[in-house]
């Protein structure tokens, strides 16, 4: 059913991804699918990487360190953005469309007061992506 599964990853907060990683792995295993770990990064150095090449290596390392990598196909998709804070959700939707993803499985947090005014990244992706989106808390 789902062969190309995008899993958005924030390498600065990987501890919050366990639920989404579990769901994505189960979907991939059940369908013989590929997990594509997507991360949006910008130009300035961060705690994860000092530049685009280093970020791409870190994202690929994360992808291949996941348990599903031992039994199935995984890859990474680094996405460059000029303003990550503003463009992360739109960048993920565009990349999912450009790479013909069949489903997006992404982590989310419990909504708070801010989500009554602004969309969360997961909320934006769920509302605007043309493919199925699983939001996992």
């Amino acid at each position: 059913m789902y062969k190309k599964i995008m899993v958005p990853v924030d390498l600065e907060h990987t501890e919050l991804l366990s639920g989404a990683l579990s769901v994505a792995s189960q979907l991939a295993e059940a369908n013989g699918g590929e997990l594509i770990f997507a991360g949006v990064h910008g130009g300035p150095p961060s705690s994860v990487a000092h530049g685009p090449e280093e970020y791409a290596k870190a994202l690929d390392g994360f992808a291949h360190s996941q348990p599903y990598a031992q039994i199935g196909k995984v890859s990474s998709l680094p996405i460059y953005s000029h303003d990550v804070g503003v463009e992360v959700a739109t960048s993920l939707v565009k990349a999912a469309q450009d790479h013909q993803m069949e489903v997006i499985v992404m982590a989310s947090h419990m909504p708070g007061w801010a989500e009554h005014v602004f969309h969360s990244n997961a909320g934006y992706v769920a509302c605007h992506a043309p493919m199925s989106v699983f939001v996992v808390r």
Side-chain angles (χ1 to χ4, degrees):
M1 183 174 185
Y2 297 119
K3 297 288 186 185
K4 290 183 77 174
I5 303 165
M6 176 189 265
V7 183
V9 172
D10 181 347
L11 290 177
E12 292 185 14
H13 300 287
T14 57
E15 72 280 359
L16 304 175
L17 299 174
S18 61
L21 293 173
S22 175
V23 169
S25 295
Q26 290 174 38
L27 276 175
E29 190 170 354
N31 297 290
E34 175 184 6
L35 293 182
I36 299 101
F37 292 90
V40 182
H41 64 93
S46 70
S47 63
V48 172
H50 292 96
E53 295 83 16
E54 192 176 324
Y55 182 85
K57 287 180 184 177
L59 183 62
D60 197 57
F62 176 82
H64 287 91
S65 73
Q66 298 308 301
Y68 184 72
Q70 307 306 311
I71 59 171
K73 187 172 179 185
V74 300
S75 61
S76 59
L77 176 62
I79 304 163
Y80 181 79
S81 170
H82 292 287
D83 188 345
V84 175
V86 173
E87 299 174 345
V88 67
T90 56
S91 297
L92 289 170
V93 171
K94 182 177 181 336
Q97 290 173 302
D98 291 349
H99 294 274
Q100 301 171 339
M101 302 297 172
E102 296 172 354
V103 64
I104 301 171
V105 179
M106 68 186 300
S108 182
H109 61 281
M110 289 299 289
W113 67 269
E115 282 74 30
H116 292 288
V117 179
F118 306 105
H119 278 287
S120 65
N121 291 327
Y124 181 92
V125 171
C127 288
H128 292 89
M131 67 284 301
S132 295
V133 178
F134 289 92
V135 179
V136 182
R137 288 193 182 128

